[in-house]
Amino acid sequence: MSSLALSLPPLAFRRVLWRFPEAWVWAVSIGCGILLLLPVSTAAEGHHHGHPGPLELSRFLWHWIPMVFAMMVPLQSGQLRLVAQRSLWRRRHLAMALYLCGFVLPWAACGLIVWAGTQYLPIPPATWLVLAAAWQLTPYKRRALGACHRTRTLSPSGWPANRDCLLAGLLASRACLASCWLLMAACGAFAHGLLLMIGLTIFMWVERLADRPRQVVYATALLGLAGVMVLLESGKHH
Amino acid sequence: MRIRRNVHNLPVWDPILLWYAKAVRAMQGRPLVDPLSWRYQAAIHGYIRASDPLQIPGETLPSAVQQATFWSRCQHGSWFFLPWHRAYLLYFERTVAATVVSLGGPADWALPYWNYADLTNPDARRMPAAFQQQALPDGSPNPLFIPRRSGAANANQLVGSPGQASDASCLGKPLFENNGVVVQFGGGATGFAHSGRVPGECERIPHNTMHGAIGGPTGWMSAFETAALDPIFWVHHSNIDRLWELWRRSATTHLDPAAPAWETGLSFDFHDVSGNPTSIRAVDVTDLTAPLLDYDYEGMPPAAVAGPLAAVGGLDMSDATPVPELVGATAAPVTLSANPTHVSFAVGEPAGPLTLALAPAEAGAAAPSVHLVLENVKASRFPIESYEVYVNVPAGQDAAQFPQLMAGILPQFGIVEASQADGEHGGDGINCSFDITGIRDALRAEGSWNAEDLRVSFLPCRYPGDYEEVIEMAPVEVGRVSLYYA
């Protein structure tokens, strides 16, 4: 059966998936990015002290989860490809899906905490960025960033394989949270402001792919961004 | 043009070696904070303060930013392994040469190389004599001599095994860039990578294996952060650099990657001969005749390559490059010890595009190649043993009696640093891949290849020396043993 199917000229997308099994994850992430562009429950609602105010939990998560997929999941593409490569062929996409579950669940929990923060302890986005700048200068940040690249062995089949994929995602999420949670909190506190999300996405890619540690430069960039946000907010007041 | 000479063709105290020794001594006299000092140059490869064997309490260190920019920058398990180390050698050689001139030596000093794989020289694997002598001809201490080496290295014995020193496997690789688990000459595509993934064949053998063979369990050459403190490091790497050039010249199809990510994607920071910061990219070090490099190796054949870079870049979607597929693996980590270790696991048939090659209609197509992969190999201390890896040795038999079934040698250079979760090197351990297609074909021809069950044996081979008095056995854990078709 399979040999007959495979003897037919493979479709282009199938050939892409052979070599880049994580391609569908990219498609999901791009879809989530487009979703965030749609003009539904945007930051325009409920301004509070000059910046977007708190959102209902459901609306908050409606943005938070796509934001995680659009901003954080693509950073895992190398890990996802490795998870697929280290899995039996018939399990490749299941393995990636389980890894994604393990990766997204802690981020969803983080979203709940950030939402609670916006409700009961409203911290301006610029303050989150200042905290993120300070976090950049600690050895914990650098260690967490290094841990984002870590790989783990997977059992080849059965429930141990499912468990290992889920666990790999959870552990990757832990490192990713330690590295980037303040940046994502800033986005959440800004009710997912689009320009801030784009700016921080670029920032996280640069930081992740950098060939040398530039903690001071990164911290300065985040302080600059915080300053821009303060200026914009004060401009709105006037 | 500087010519790097074969060290085994030189008299013990040829001027090249004598001036090297004098320059090393001068550089050792400079403070650690000086970029042109011996220890600073070694720290560019790796530095961990707690394990610095030459640390002086209270000494001044470079600033944290300077350390982060210039120290612990070595590239391993990566397609940047060769260009980074070429650049590293280049600036080091120029620094030594300038020091030689300042001491009154010749202006054309160049690093020699140690060709331990020279089949025409039965002594090729002996440590060059100048690195074993405890004194220079004038009676002063010899800075080229380092006590912290394997038992064989300083006892004028052959260092390592023929397999550990061999360059035949890497020079026979047709391509530069690994394809997933399929190992080629130069390594797989990565970003900045201290440990990376599966190394290229030249990095695995002879680079990694000879690091371990020279350093042994307790020697400086066995760890990233101390290796470059041993003057033989640079002579060893001169040979690795020579092998890259030899591979390039040996066939018109032996080409460096043309991908922009490799050529210009990263730039690496060093200090020039004046100690000023400078940076360099892979594309800057591919042509030995370029003014920046301007050196060659003694005994090197003329180039067979007309153009330096003609490989196809971009995404390789051609059917000629197979997609590797996992067909079996161990379900739990395997702990290696001082005794032979055996592990078996079930192996299935490919289910992806490789079935095309197995289909009856494609009988004329080449059968998929077979690759044994060791993933996430970790150790907390450098092992007393190196391990030879065998495939399908009959149960109860001594693996050493079946050399035709040896898949390869598990190299351990950098294994400790790569295993430290909080260190610079990631905590993944090391990975390696052996092409066992030849073993599969031979066993299949004699009807003894079992395609459904694979038995892998790890045979410990103790490094020469009485290490029981020095350290306890350090177990090695192999995260997973897996089999891939490609």
Side-chain angles (χ1 to χ4, degrees):
Chain A
M1 181 278 301
S2 62
S3 63
L4 175 64
L6 286 165
S7 64
L8 298 171
L11 297 171
F13 78 89
R14 203 159 138 206
R15 295 168 68 93
V16 169
L17 283 179
W18 286 353
R19 294 182 186 279
F20 307 99
E22 76 282 11
W24 64 265
V25 181
W26 273 96
V28 172
S29 293
I30 291 169
C32 287
I34 293 170
L35 193 66
L36 291 169
L37 292 174
L38 297 178
V40 288
S41 78
T42 63
E45 292 185 18
H47 277 239
H48 177 71
H49 297 303
H51 62 80
L55 299 170
E56 295 171 9
L57 177 59
S58 59
R59 297 184 83 110
F60 182 90
L61 290 178
W62 176 244
H63 279 87
W64 179 266
I65 300 297
M67 189 175 75
V68 169
F69 268 92
M71 294 177 70
M72 304 309 303
V73 168
L75 292 168
Q76 294 295 307
S77 56
Q79 303 286 58
L80 285 162
R81 190 188 298 183
L82 190 69
V83 164
Q85 187 189 79
R86 288 183 169 186
S87 298
L88 296 172
W89 191 266
R90 65 177 186 278
R91 288 186 42 86
R92 295 195 313 161
H93 298 293
L94 172 64
M96 286 191 295
L98 288 165
Y99 180 93
L100 271 182
C101 287
F103 183 78
V104 172
L105 278 174
W107 274 111
C110 176
L112 291 176
I113 296 170
V114 171
W115 174 79
T118 62
Q119 295 293 309
Y120 306 112
L121 187 64
I123 298 174
T127 306
W128 285 113
L129 291 177
V130 171
L131 290 173
W135 184 242
Q136 282 286 341
L137 300 175
T138 68
Y140 307 108
K141 162 70 186 187
R142 191 174 170 186
R143 206 172 293 160
L145 195 59
C148 291
H149 298 277
R150 199 161 297 156
T151 63
R152 288 167 181 86
T153 53
L154 309 173
S155 293
S157 57
W159 72 266
N162 296 340
R163 175 204 61 200
D164 288 350
C165 293
L166 199 60
L167 192 61
L170 283 166
L171 293 171
S173 191
R174 185 178 69 176
C176 211
L177 271 164
S179 177
C180 296
W181 75 278
L182 286 163
L183 301 177
M184 294 296 276
C187 291
F190 197 55
H192 319 285
L194 191 61
L195 288 177
L196 182 63
M197 283 193 287
I198 292 172
L200 290 181
T201 300
I202 294 170
F203 177 89
M204 287 189 283
W205 273 102
V206 169
E207 180 185 59
R208 188 69 63 95
L209 299 177
D211 53 338
R212 67 197 69 155
R214 289 184 169 124
Q215 261 71 20
V216 175
V217 175
Y218 298 148
T220 307
L222 289 173
L223 286 176
L225 189 56
V228 168
M229 295 199 68
V230 168
L231 285 175
L232 289 175
E233 296 297 308
S234 63
K236 285 179 183 174
H237 277 300
H238 296 95
Chain B
M1 174 176 279
R2 295 177 198 271
I3 302 297
R4 295 181 178 174
R5 308 283 179 193
N6 182 340
V7 71
H8 273 309
N9 288 348
L10 303 175
V12 178
W13 286 118
D14 183 272
I16 290 174
L17 293 160
L18 195 56
W19 281 115
Y20 184 35
K22 291 177 179 177
V24 170
R25 180 189 290 161
M27 291 171 69
Q28 287 174 340
R30 297 168 185 161
L32 177 58
V33 74
D34 181 350
L36 305 182
S37 71
W38 184 256
R39 290 172 62 205
Y40 190 106
Q41 288 290 314
I44 292 171
H45 193 267
Y47 189 81
I48 299 175
R49 181 67 179 170
S51 54
D52 178 356
L54 303 177
Q55 68 170 282
I56 302 167
E59 67 184 327
T60 304
L61 292 165
S63 69
V65 172
Q66 190 173 356
Q67 288 185 45
T69 304
F70 295 100
W71 284 11
S72 298
R73 312 310 286 158
C74 63
Q75 300 292 292
H76 294 100
S78 161
W79 63 353
F80 292 116
F81 165 74
L82 289 164
W84 186 87
H85 281 86
R86 174 168 285 178
Y88 184 34
L89 234 64
L90 177 72
Y91 289 115
F92 170 82
E93 180 181 59
R94 299 302 146 87
T95 299
V96 174
T99 307
V100 166
V101 170
S102 72
L103 295 171
D108 61 348
W109 184 89
L111 268 172
Y113 67 88
W114 178 13
N115 181 9
Y116 23 70
D118 184 357
L119 298 175
T120 65
N121 179 6
D123 295 321
R125 284 191 287 121
R126 286 187 213 286
M127 173 75 77
F131 295 80
Q132 298 186 55
Q133 309 279 325
Q134 299 201 31
L136 295 181
D138 64 3
S140 62
N142 176 12
L144 304 185
F145 172 76
I146 300 295
R148 296 291 292 276
R149 292 176 182 146
S150 71
N154 282 340
N156 202 33
Q157 297 173 9
L158 296 175
V159 178
S161 65
Q164 288 174 314
S166 174
D167 56 19
S169 178
C170 69
L171 291 174
K173 296 295 180 187
L175 300 172
F176 185 99
E177 183 184 341
N178 293 359
N179 169 29
V181 300
V182 183
V183 172
Q184 299 292 351
F185 184 82
T190 69
F192 185 92
H194 284 306
S195 295
R197 301 268 162 80
V198 175
E201 190 69 350
C202 182
E203 182 180 347
R204 186 176 72 88
I205 295 181
H207 169 263
N208 285 353
T209 46
M210 286 306 287
H211 259 286
I214 297 166
T218 59
W220 289 356
M221 276 287 279
S222 295
F224 288 151
E225 74 271 17
T226 53
L229 287 170
D230 189 333
I232 199 66
F233 169 93
W234 305 93
V235 183
H236 167 47
H237 267 280
S238 184
N239 189 51
I240 298 301
D241 188 65
R242 182 186 69 89
L243 291 177
W244 181 16
E245 189 61 19
L246 185 59
W247 178 81
R248 281 166 47 98
R249 294 187 190 183
S250 60
T252 54
T253 53
H254 287 182
L255 301 168
D256 296 328
W262 184 81
E263 289 186 330
T264 56
L266 293 182
S267 61
F268 298 105
D269 295 304
F270 294 97
H271 293 278
D272 65 16
V273 71
S274 302
N276 298 318
T278 186
S279 64
I280 195 166
R281 305 161 303 172
V283 72
D284 299 325
V285 295
T286 52
D287 181 4
L288 294 191
T289 64
L292 179 66
L293 282 75
D294 195 30
Y295 69 85
D296 204 349
Y297 287 94
E298 178 187 20
M300 186 69 80
V305 181
L309 295 172
V312 176
L315 302 179
D316 183 2
M317 298 290 289
S318 72
D319 289 335
T321 309
V323 180
E325 180 179 337
L326 177 75
V327 292
T330 53
V334 180
T335 302
L336 309 184
S337 67
N339 299 313
T341 305
H342 310 280
V343 59
S344 297
F345 56 90
V347 175
E349 286 294 313
L354 287 172
T355 54
L356 290 171
L358 298 174
E362 302 285 335
S369 56
V370 191
H371 304 266
L372 182 72
V373 180
L374 309 181
E375 299 166 0
N376 300 95
V377 184
K378 298 180 183 178
S380 58
R381 290 193 305 273
F382 198 88
I384 301 174
E385 324 277 357
S386 68
Y387 291 93
E388 293 176 345
V389 186
Y390 292 79
V391 175
N392 282 1
V393 172
Q397 301 287 310
D398 179 9
Q401 303 305 313
F402 298 87
Q404 73 278 16
L405 299 180
M406 190 168 86
I409 299 166
L410 172 61
Q412 296 159 328
F413 175 54
I415 190 171
V416 178
E417 300 90 323
S419 303
Q420 292 168 346
D422 291 340
E424 289 277 349
H425 299 273
D428 279 350
I430 57 176
N431 303 281
C432 65
S433 175
F434 307 109
D435 186 340
I436 60 168
T437 309
I439 297 175
R440 186 272 312 268
D441 291 345
L443 290 176
R444 182 186 274 173
E446 63 184 43
S448 56
W449 170 254
N450 182 351
E452 297 176 351
D453 183 64
L454 192 76
R455 179 179 164 86
V456 179
S457 303
F458 297 88
L459 183 67
C461 304
R462 181 149 298 194
Y463 289 106
D466 188 14
Y467 296 109
E468 288 88 343
E469 296 177 2
V470 183
I471 55 173
E472 298 174 358
M473 175 68 201
V476 175
E477 183 185 273
V478 181
R480 191 172 86 162
V481 184
S482 50
L483 193 75
Y484 286 80
Y485 283 178

